[in-house]
């Protein structure tokens, strides 16, 4: 009987140990990066506005990237080309979207779930155009891991004379 109880205890420990590995860790989102083309200096000639949001996540964790395109135009076709700047991002392939513009259909959303096996800042390029207008181009940033915390938020500053200075973090090692 004692031997039977010991085997039951050993079996329970093994089962509980296996179940603890099956617990899904929650997704850690550092911050959500947002932006749009309405606040950017660009050449006129395009009626397209692009808004985006992307989650700053850990390595090998899918980020939710939401791209919203809108235009006051009510006729024509909105052509959108989406592709990663480098082949480091997984879950995003070079793809073309065509949206038919009507009075009731002037806003469109593209949802992506890219991830990377490396830390860093990566970009998803967007080229949106309507025939007869200039294209609107935007690179959506995607932060992965802790590597971006070491970056200076705005590395450029201007002097009183208007000269541009770039500030870079020094990496020192004391021996």
């Amino acid at each position: 009987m004692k031997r039977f109880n010991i085997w039951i205890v050993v079996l329970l420990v093994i089962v509980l140990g296996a179940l603890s590995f099956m617990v899904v860790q929650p997704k850690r989102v550092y911050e959500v990066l947002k932006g749009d083309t309405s606040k950017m200096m660009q050449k006129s000639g395009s009626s397209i506005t692009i808004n985006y949001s992307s989650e700053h996540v850990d390595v090998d964790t899918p980020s939710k990237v939401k791209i919203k395109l809108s235009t006051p135009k009510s006729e024509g076709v909105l052509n959108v080309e989406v592709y990663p700047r480098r082949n480091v991002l997984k879950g995003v392939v070079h793809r073309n979207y065509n949206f038919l513009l009507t009075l009731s259909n002037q806003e469109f959303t593209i949802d992506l779930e890219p991830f990377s096996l490396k830390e860093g800042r990566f970009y998803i390029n967007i080229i949106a155009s309507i025939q007869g207008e200039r294209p609107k181009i935007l690179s959506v940033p995607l932060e992965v891991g802790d590597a971006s915390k070491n970056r200076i938020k705005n590395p450029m500053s201007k002097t009183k004379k208007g000269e541009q200075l770039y500030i870079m973090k020094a990496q020192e090692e004391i021996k």
Side-chain angles (χ1 to χ4, degrees), residues 45-65:
S46 179
S47 61
I48 304 165
T49 301
I50 305 172
N51 297 304
Y52 72 85
S53 67
S54 69
E55 295 176 338
H56 176 178
V57 295
D58 283 325
V59 173
D60 200 23
T61 305
S63 172
K64 289 186 181 171
V65 176

Side-chain angles (χ1 to χ4, degrees), residues 144-158:
V144 178
D146 292 330
S148 62
K149 289 184 176 180
N150 298 329
R151 287 197 176 114
I152 298 172
K153 290 287 183 189
N154 188 5
M156 188 198 60
S157 63
K158 288 188 177 184

